Amino acid sequence: MQGLIMPHTTSDTLLTLNVELGERSYPIHIGAGLLGDPRWLEPYLAGRQVMIVTNETVAPRYLERLRQGLSGDREIREVVLPDGEHTKTLDSVSRIWDALLDAGFNRRCTLVALGGGVIGDMAGFAAACYQRGVAFIQVPTTLLSQVDSSVGGKTGVNHPRGKNMIGAFWQPRAVLIDTDTLKTLPERELSAGLAEVIKYGLIRDAEFLTWLEAHMRELRDLDASALSEAIHRSCALKAAVVAEDETEQGVRALLNLGHTFGHAIEAHQGYGAWLHGEAVGVGMLMAAELSHRLGWLGKDDMARVSAILEAAGLPRTAPQSMATADFLDRMRLDKKNLDSKLRLILLRSLGDACVHDATPQAELDDLLETFPRG
Amino acid sequence: MQGLIMPHTTSDTLLTLNVELGERSYPIHIGAGLLGDPRWLEPYLAGRQVMIVTNETVAPRYLERLRQGLSGDREIREVVLPDGEHTKTLDSVSRIWDALLDAGFNRRCTLVALGGGVIGDMAGFAAACYQRGVAFIQVPTTLLSQVDSSVGGKTGVNHPRGKNMIGAFWQPRAVLIDTDTLKTLPERELSAGLAEVIKYGLIRDAEFLTWLEAHMRELRDLDASALSEAIHRSCALKAAVVAEDETEQGVRALLNLGHTFGHAIEAHQGYGAWLHGEAVGVGMLMAAELSHRLGWLGKDDMARVSAILEAAGLPRTAPQSMATADFLDRMRLDKKNLDSKLRLILLRSLGDACVHDATPQAELDDLLETFPRG
């Protein structure tokens, strides 16, 4: 895994990161103004046929600009899905497959995901399974999807019984991150994206955490340079973890810091009520609190975790309506619970996460009982 | 790719073939009486949780015997689907996912496909996408699935617009072929399986073709030794091709001899009306006829192809109701047509197939016009 900085004329600072996965390696290009420039999209298309997958919110803002990044002889179609986490279903993916088949698209077609994580996950899953796998390019337009879905190859949909239960590992041919798209992102979604950025600092990079504490204001003010730096560093951290462990057998589990609690919150509240990053933010605070009770994090550390979440504009309390039993029921199905043993990601120190499968039930119960609701 | 013959006490001749695919290598065990013997199933289970996927025809015959091959401390569930190609849909696969989630099965569960190709394709696809991929064991109970679906890792479902349009490449951990299960197979399905066996001889092994001409009677009489030999050789031929080309970029296309025409017949008649092997048999005769017209096969060769299909009890005429235009419409969407160019698998000689993408349209039209209907 290596990142390199390249000079470029489109924007002052274009950053490119190569995600090294052998035959499936791909670049992430990060910068302002990439979207309408054919130099960034054209080289990664598999054939003439291009299916753009986007949603009703993103389409009016960026679909035309994306089309400008495609040369005239392409056969371009699009699927515009409704917006929101509740649309992340097998039915929506079936609509993409229907559109591909209606257009007579073959195995050399390319799917381009234009939107947030929901669009990326669905378009990626559609690509993974269309004629047993076709090319796929990610153009993430939310901070969360830029720092999270860009790396890792996870695709899929939710099931009434659990998040991301149906899916596949499928790598994109390229990821194009145009930081200009964040200008139209609601502030609440920006904060949710920052939760995942903070996560990378917490699990693996104490220095980055300190950098984030110093630059949180600039990030929330959409300073282009700070954003590019934070996205690049987040993607690089994730890419390093994924390159070590592509199919999530070991170290990759650390990326799930806050996710066991967070998924429980999302599922209990109904997908879409809480943003994923908001739920993960509270989940990280719960994991930090448990780490503190196990004697790993000091009081100062806890205060820093809480303060940076606050600075990012994130909630720090669990839903009022969620009882301890609600958490436990939802956590039982979590994918990290191998053969019914509960596994949690905890923090040995700030910047050093670990997999912990020996959390005493009483300790967990007590945390869930006493963690603040709001 | 290597096959080795091992002595074994369950049956006189147990054959084992190792399909070499690096990390995804797996064995195919072939013999009589494997089904109820724990030695053949237990070593390949990923964890305690086992989901058997089968259909209403196979379940009463073999489900109990399969369960006897599982030790007492397993958590065993089953999904019994309706029988037939028309059930090979996303809805059926969703039923498998629902059953897995209802049972609270995690990423360490194992799916066991007990049945023909339809069950294998659906269970394999369900395994490929459940929590982004879980373990999978094939127990094929038809000759077609034993010689075809056992090797290659192709899984998936049909779409109203085309066969196998939605799917994934997903390798089993093991394939267990109990030749005893062929005793309850309808004769028509045995013949359909023989079509694929003949295919391996036609595309790659003239000597095997001669062996088949000599042993066709024994195969149709279910002679155990002849069956094991034919299955082993077919799987070995397919495994050699797949090992060269796991994701079907090149030589693997040869395995589709007869399939472009065959798929058109199946789709036009409605899936299930013709058995897959029956359609492929006629498709191979059409491909042979076209090869003859291009000057590659002699009259004697054509007569041998026709005679061995007849000896196997297979149809040798296309459906009465299918006009030339019906074939052309269906063939247009075929996955082998990259960027709208028609590619066919033809025979340079018996035992030597090739990919041909320069068939003159007039030649193809003439074949489709004049090929016998019945």
Side-chain angles (χ1 to χ4, degrees):
Chain A
M1 228 284 324
Q2 49 175 319
L4 75 148
I5 297 174
M6 292 166 50
H8 176 53
T9 56
T10 301
S11 63
D12 290 341
T13 51
L14 181 93
L15 305 179
T16 291
L17 178 77
N18 290 304
V19 180
E20 302 290 349
L21 292 168
E23 280 180 8
R24 291 182 302 281
S25 298
Y26 64 89
I28 303 176
H29 299 299
I30 309 164
L34 266 66
L35 206 49
D37 188 332
R39 283 173 301 174
W40 303 110
L41 192 49
E42 282 285 327
Y44 305 106
L45 299 173
R48 282 189 63 246
Q49 302 169 330
V50 179
M51 178 69 71
I52 303 169
V53 180
T54 186
N55 70 32
E56 291 167 355
T57 306
V58 175
R61 291 178 184 148
Y62 301 113
L63 181 55
E64 200 43 48
R65 205 184 297 177
L66 180 69
R67 292 180 71 112
Q68 287 165 10
L70 292 163
S71 76
D73 63 338
R74 302 287 175 190
E75 190 183 346
I76 306 167
R77 307 291 174 95
E78 54 221 25
V79 187
V80 181
L81 297 166
D83 193 6
E85 179 82 21
H86 67 281
T87 69
K88 194 170 142 180
T89 62
L90 200 54
D91 280 347
S92 296
V93 173
S94 282
R95 282 185 55 187
I96 302 172
W97 289 328
D98 290 344
L100 288 162
L101 285 158
D102 287 347
F105 274 19
N106 62 31
R107 290 169 65 176
R108 291 270 301 279
C109 70
T110 305
L111 272 72
V112 179
L114 174 68
V118 171
I119 285 294
D121 284 5
M122 290 197 295
F125 185 47
C129 298
Y130 185 62
Q131 302 200 15
R132 301 198 191 90
V134 297
F136 165 52
I137 295 171
Q138 294 247 38
V139 186
T141 60
T142 65
L143 180 58
L144 175 60
S145 59
Q146 289 168 354
V147 299
D148 184 33
S149 324
S150 297
V151 182
K154 285 189 180 180
T155 72
V157 296
N158 299 327
H159 185 279
R161 283 182 175 273
K163 204 169 146 62
N164 295 319
M165 283 290 150
I166 311 303
F169 285 99
W170 196 247
Q171 302 295 344
R173 292 195 156 206
V175 178
L176 309 180
I177 298 177
D178 187 337
T179 53
D180 283 349
T181 60
L182 299 179
K183 292 177 183 169
T184 54
L185 191 70
E187 195 170 353
R188 192 178 153 200
E189 291 199 35
L190 189 76
S191 292
L194 289 169
E196 294 279 349
V197 174
I198 292 164
K199 184 189 76 177
Y200 296 113
L202 286 175
I203 62 172
R204 211 171 156 108
D205 191 341
E207 191 190 293
F208 183 41
L209 191 68
T210 304
W211 184 92
L212 286 170
E213 289 171 328
H215 293 80
M216 191 52 76
R217 192 65 258 164
E218 292 157 69
L219 292 169
R220 294 188 70 187
D221 288 343
L222 298 178
D223 176 276
S225 161
L227 281 172
S228 286
E229 174 67 22
I231 293 167
H232 183 270
R233 192 126 165 197
S234 296
C235 289
L237 283 162
K238 182 161 183 184
V241 171
V242 169
E244 278 177 50
D245 179 22
E246 193 181 350
T247 54
E248 198 166 17
Q249 306 302 306
V251 64
R252 187 162 170 174
L254 303 183
L255 296 172
N256 286 320
L257 175 69
H259 281 61
T260 300
F261 298 115
H263 284 169
I265 293 173
E266 283 185 279
H268 184 266
Q269 300 299 99
Y271 293 121
W274 277 54
L275 297 177
H276 176 68
E278 293 173 334
V280 166
V282 172
M284 292 194 296
L285 197 57
M286 295 175 82
E289 174 63 30
L290 196 50
S291 307
H292 171 56
R293 293 181 184 205
L294 292 170
W296 296 342
L297 293 190
K299 280 200 170 179
D300 289 356
D301 296 328
M302 275 304 300
R304 283 182 66 190
V305 175
S306 185
I308 197 166
L309 293 171
E310 185 182 21
L314 288 160
R316 289 172 299 154
T317 52
Q320 194 73 59
S321 61
M322 270 189 92
T324 296
D326 296 325
F327 271 101
L328 292 173
D329 287 351
R330 298 285 175 177
M331 289 162 69
R332 193 181 58 82
L333 191 62
D334 194 273
K335 291 190 294 300
K336 288 172 291 303
N337 300 337
L338 298 182
D339 286 330
S340 304
K341 195 154 65 170
L342 183 70
R343 304 179 76 195
L344 290 170
I345 313 305
L346 299 179
L347 295 171
R348 289 206 172 273
S349 64
L350 297 186
D352 181 19
C354 64
V355 177
H356 190 65
D357 52 14
T359 306
Q361 186 68 42
E363 197 73 65
L364 178 65
D365 290 349
D366 191 57
L367 170 82
L368 294 172
E369 280 297 327
T370 58
F371 191 85
R373 309 302 204 267
Chain B
M1 229 280 331
Q2 51 175 317
L4 74 149
I5 297 174
M6 292 165 51
H8 175 53
T9 56
T10 301
S11 63
D12 290 342
T13 51
L14 180 92
L15 305 178
T16 290
L17 179 76
N18 290 304
V19 180
E20 301 290 350
L21 293 168
E23 282 180 6
R24 292 181 300 281
S25 298
Y26 63 90
I28 302 176
H29 299 299
I30 309 164
L34 266 65
L35 207 49
D37 188 331
R39 282 173 303 174
W40 303 110
L41 192 50
E42 282 284 329
Y44 305 106
L45 300 172
R48 283 188 61 246
Q49 302 170 331
V50 179
M51 178 69 71
I52 302 168
V53 180
T54 186
N55 70 32
E56 289 167 355
T57 306
V58 175
R61 291 177 184 149
Y62 301 113
L63 182 54
E64 200 43 49
R65 206 184 297 176
L66 180 70
R67 292 181 70 113
Q68 287 165 11
L70 292 163
S71 76
D73 64 339
R74 301 287 175 190
E75 189 182 345
I76 305 167
R77 305 290 175 95
E78 55 220 26
V79 187
V80 182
L81 297 166
D83 192 6
E85 179 81 21
H86 66 282
T87 69
K88 194 171 142 179
T89 62
L90 200 54
D91 280 347
S92 296
V93 172
S94 282
R95 282 185 55 186
I96 302 172
W97 289 327
D98 290 344
L100 288 162
L101 285 158
D102 287 346
F105 274 19
N106 62 31
R107 291 169 64 176
R108 292 271 302 278
C109 70
T110 305
L111 272 73
V112 179
L114 173 70
V118 171
I119 286 293
D121 284 5
M122 290 197 294
F125 185 47
C129 299
Y130 185 62
Q131 301 200 14
R132 300 198 192 90
V134 297
F136 165 51
I137 295 171
Q138 294 248 38
V139 186
T141 60
T142 65
L143 180 58
L144 176 61
S145 59
Q146 288 167 356
V147 300
D148 184 32
S149 324
S150 296
V151 182
K154 285 189 180 181
T155 72
V157 297
N158 299 327
H159 185 277
R161 283 183 175 272
K163 203 169 145 64
N164 295 319
M165 283 290 149
I166 311 303
F169 285 99
W170 196 245
Q171 303 295 342
R173 292 195 154 206
V175 178
L176 309 179
I177 297 177
D178 187 338
T179 53
D180 283 349
T181 60
L182 299 178
K183 292 176 183 169
T184 53
L185 191 71
E187 194 171 352
R188 193 179 152 201
E189 291 199 36
L190 188 76
S191 292
L194 289 169
E196 294 278 350
V197 173
I198 292 164
K199 184 189 77 178
Y200 296 113
L202 287 174
I203 62 172
R204 211 172 157 107
D205 191 342
E207 190 191 293
F208 182 42
L209 191 69
T210 304
W211 184 92
L212 286 170
E213 289 171 327
H215 293 81
M216 191 53 75
R217 192 64 259 162
E218 291 157 68
L219 291 170
R220 293 189 71 188
D221 288 343
L222 298 179
D223 177 275
S225 161
L227 282 173
S228 287
E229 174 67 23
I231 294 167
H232 183 270
R233 192 126 165 196
S234 296
C235 289
L237 283 162
K238 182 161 184 183
V241 172
V242 170
E244 278 177 49
D245 180 21
E246 193 181 350
T247 53
E248 199 167 16
Q249 305 303 306
V251 64
R252 187 161 170 176
L254 303 183
L255 296 172
N256 286 321
L257 175 68
H259 281 60
T260 299
F261 298 116
H263 283 168
I265 294 173
E266 283 184 279
H268 184 266
Q269 300 300 100
Y271 294 121
W274 278 54
L275 295 178
H276 176 68
E278 292 172 335
V280 166
V282 172
M284 291 194 297
L285 196 58
M286 295 175 83
E289 175 64 30
L290 196 51
S291 308
H292 170 58
R293 293 180 184 205
L294 291 172
W296 295 344
L297 293 190
K299 281 200 169 179
D300 290 356
D301 295 329
M302 275 304 300
R304 282 182 67 191
V305 175
S306 185
I308 197 166
L309 292 172
E310 184 182 22
L314 288 159
R316 287 172 300 154
T317 52
Q320 194 73 58
S321 62
M322 269 189 93
T324 296
D326 295 325
F327 271 102
L328 292 173
D329 286 351
R330 297 285 176 178
M331 289 162 70
R332 194 181 58 84
L333 192 62
D334 195 273
K335 289 189 295 299
K336 288 173 291 304
N337 300 337
L338 297 182
D339 285 331
S340 304
K341 195 154 66 172
L342 184 70
R343 303 179 76 194
L344 290 170
I345 313 304
L346 299 178
L347 295 171
R348 290 206 171 272
S349 65
L350 297 186
D352 181 19
C354 65
V355 177
H356 190 66
D357 52 15
T359 306
Q361 186 67 41
E363 198 74 64
L364 178 64
D365 290 349
D366 192 57
L367 170 83
L368 294 172
E369 280 297 327
T370 59
F371 191 85
R373 308 302 204 267

